[in-house]
Amino acid sequence: MPRTLRITSRNAAFQQWQALLGNRTKRQRAGEFLVQGVRPISLAVEHGWEIRTLLTADGPGLSRWGRDVLETAGAPRALLSAELMRELGGKDEEAPELLAVVGLPADDLGRLPVRANPLVVVFDRPTTPGNLGTLVRSADAFGAAGVIVTGHAADPYDPKAVRASTGSLFALPVVRVPSHREVLDWAGALDVPVQIVGTDERGPVDIAEHDLTGPTVLAIGNETHGLSAAWRDVCDHMVRIPITGAASSLNAAAAGTVALYEAARQRRSA
C-alpha cells in the first residue's frame, strides 16, 4: 500500500505544493504541478499521467469517487487539515476532497500522435493562461491531435489554464517549443505534406472558403499582436473569420475555437 503522510502545519512539503500554484519556475524545477477539480483529476488518472501524491482532507471519509481515485492511482497519500486544503484548493468556502500533484510531461513533439490526416493547433505566444486552457479544451472537443505553444508564452500547467481546459489538458498532448522552427521540422518529417494556415482579421480569404480537410497546422496568434512576423512568413495561407457588429476582433481563444469548428465541419462533410 502507498504510504500516507500527515501534514498538520505549513511545513516544507506544504510550501512546495503551494509554490506549484503560483510559481512557474518552481513547477519546472520540481517537474510537477498541482491539479484541482474533480474532472481534471479524474482525467489525469484515466489517461495515465504520473500521479506523484494525492492530497486529501484529514476528516470525514472520502466519497466513492475519491476512493476510486486513490485505488486507481496507487499514489502516496498526504492528509492535510481542512484549512490547508482550502489554501491549496483555491476556494475559500470549502476544502476540496482531493488534490493531485502530477508530474510534468516532456515538451517533445514526438508526443503528438502521427495520423494520416492530422489537425494540429499552434498558439503563438499566448499571454493569458485562461485563453490557453480554453483553446486546449476546444482542440480536444473538435478533434485536433494536439496543441503546440510557441515562444514566450503562458504556462499550460498554470492552475488557471488547467481549470479552463476542464481536464482536456490530460486528454491530448500540449507541447511547448521555442519557435516556429521546431514546428516546421516536425511537420517536414511527416509522411504527408502539411499546410500551415494562419488566422488574421485581415486575411485575404474567409476561413469557410479555404480547404481545411487535409493535413493542417492551424496557427493562432496571441491576444494583442496576433501571429508573429516569423509565423506569418512561414504560413502557406492566411485566412480570416468574418465578423460584424461593433467588435473589432475576436478573443484569441474564441478565434481558435471558431477555426477548429470550421475544420471539424469541413472534415465531417468531406
Side-chain angles (χ1 to χ4, degrees):
M1 291 291 291
R3 69 185 187 277
T4 299
L5 306 173
R6 189 177 297 273
I7 308 296
T8 59
S9 65
R10 293 172 179 80
N11 63 6
F14 174 83
Q15 290 175 35
Q16 171 66 26
W17 296 326
Q18 191 173 47
L20 298 178
L21 292 172
N23 192 312
R24 177 179 188 156
T25 300
K26 291 189 176 181
R27 286 194 291 270
Q28 287 301 121
R29 189 173 298 150
E32 60 191 24
F33 64 114
L34 193 69
V35 180
Q36 305 157 326
V38 171
R39 183 168 176 78
I41 291 172
S42 296
L43 287 174
V45 173
E46 178 183 335
H47 288 275
W49 284 56
E50 180 194 4
I51 312 299
R52 294 188 175 178
T53 310
L54 287 168
L55 314 182
T56 65
D58 189 2
L62 292 172
S63 67
R64 174 66 180 271
W65 167 77
R67 295 195 301 272
D68 286 346
V69 168
L70 284 174
E71 181 179 350
T72 303
R77 180 182 179 186
L79 291 174
L80 283 71
S81 70
E83 180 183 0
L84 296 180
M85 285 292 285
R86 274 196 298 272
E87 288 188 36
L88 295 178
K91 294 183 178 180
D92 295 333
E93 66 276 10
E94 59 181 341
E97 182 177 6
L98 274 181
L99 298 167
V101 181
V102 179
L104 290 175
D107 282 312
D108 180 358
L109 290 171
R111 290 176 54 216
L112 298 175
V114 178
R115 299 177 180 174
N117 188 22
L119 172 65
V120 172
V121 186
V122 167
F123 204 165
D124 179 38
R125 302 163 298 127
T127 59
T128 307
N131 278 339
L132 176 52
T134 297
L135 189 60
V136 170
R137 180 180 183 179
S138 296
D140 183 24
F142 293 120
V147 175
I148 303 173
V149 184
T150 60
H152 183 68
D155 185 4
Y157 305 106
D158 183 290
K160 293 178 182 177
V162 178
R163 285 196 299 270
S165 82
T166 63
S168 289
L169 174 72
F170 303 104
L172 83 167
V174 178
V175 180
R176 300 169 291 184
V177 297
S179 72
H180 64 288
R181 298 181 188 88
E182 293 78 12
V183 182
L184 294 181
D185 290 343
W186 170 81
L190 297 178
D191 293 333
V192 293
V194 178
Q195 66 169 340
I196 300 178
V197 179
T199 58
D200 184 87
E201 61 189 37
R202 293 178 294 277
V205 178
D206 280 3
I207 190 168
E209 297 172 1
H210 182 77
D211 186 358
L212 298 170
T213 59
T216 301
V217 169
L218 188 61
I220 310 298
N222 86 349
E223 297 88 338
T224 304
H225 303 293
L227 285 171
S228 67
W231 265 112
R232 290 174 184 274
D233 287 344
V234 302
C235 284
D236 301 306
H237 309 278
M238 296 296 296
V239 298
R240 66 175 179 269
I241 298 170
I243 61 174
T244 60
S248 61
S249 63
L250 290 175
N251 166 281
T257 299
V258 172
L260 282 161
Y261 170 79
E262 176 59 24
R265 184 194 66 79
Q266 291 186 20
R267 287 166 179 239
R268 285 196 305 271
S269 301

